[in-house]
Amino acid sequence: MKMTEPCDKCRGTGEMLYGSTSTYMGGIGGAAMTTDVCNKCWGTGLKNKTGVNLKELRLEMNKSFQLQKRGLLKQITVLQNQLNNVKEV
Ligand SMILES: [Zn+2]
């Protein structure tokens, strides 16, 4: 097996034409045919060299976003409590 052998799923293009409205993430793609990054080689187009796993990257980003969101919501609650304690003049 050569290192430069093209990915057998996308035939070396690094892209896939998904034949449904769903994307590789399982979300709604919108168009009937959706071009997205090949979910086998992750865009490199090569059989033995995979790119960044976008699925994992997106999950990771989502996780840190959720943590940030939770922190902000906590701050809002604290500020709201402080506001409630302010007596109107
Ligand atoms: Zn591929």
Side-chain angles (χ1 to χ4, degrees), residues 7-12 14-15 38-43 45-46:
C7 170
D8 51 21
K9 195 162 185 186
C10 63
R11 295 173 203 283
E15 282 184 342
C38 173
N39 63 2
K40 189 163 186 187
C41 65
W42 297 103
L46 299 173

Side-chain angles (χ1 to χ4, degrees), residues 22-80:
S22 63
T23 65
Y24 67 89
M25 288 293 289
I28 296 159
M33 298 293 270
T34 312
T35 306
D36 213 331
V37 173
C38 173
N39 63 2
K40 189 163 186 187
C41 65
W42 297 103
T44 63
L46 299 173
K47 202 167 193 172
N48 300 309
K49 191 176 179 233
T50 50
V52 179
N53 187 329
L54 295 179
K55 202 169 179 178
E56 275 176 16
L57 186 71
R58 208 177 290 191
L59 285 173
E60 202 54 46
M61 282 170 65
N62 205 21
K63 208 195 288 175
S64 81
F65 172 74
Q66 291 298 331
L67 280 175
Q68 267 186 313
K69 191 176 157 190
R70 212 175 296 161
L72 287 172
L73 284 173
K74 210 177 276 179
Q75 283 184 342
I76 288 172
T77 306
V78 170
L79 289 172
Q80 244 165 3

Side-chain angles (χ1 to χ4, degrees), residues 2-21:
K2 285 178 290 180
M3 284 302 286
T4 51
E5 209 171 324
C7 170
D8 51 21
K9 195 162 185 186
C10 63
R11 295 173 203 283
T13 62
E15 282 184 342
M16 284 290 295
L17 191 63
Y18 292 88
S20 72
T21 54

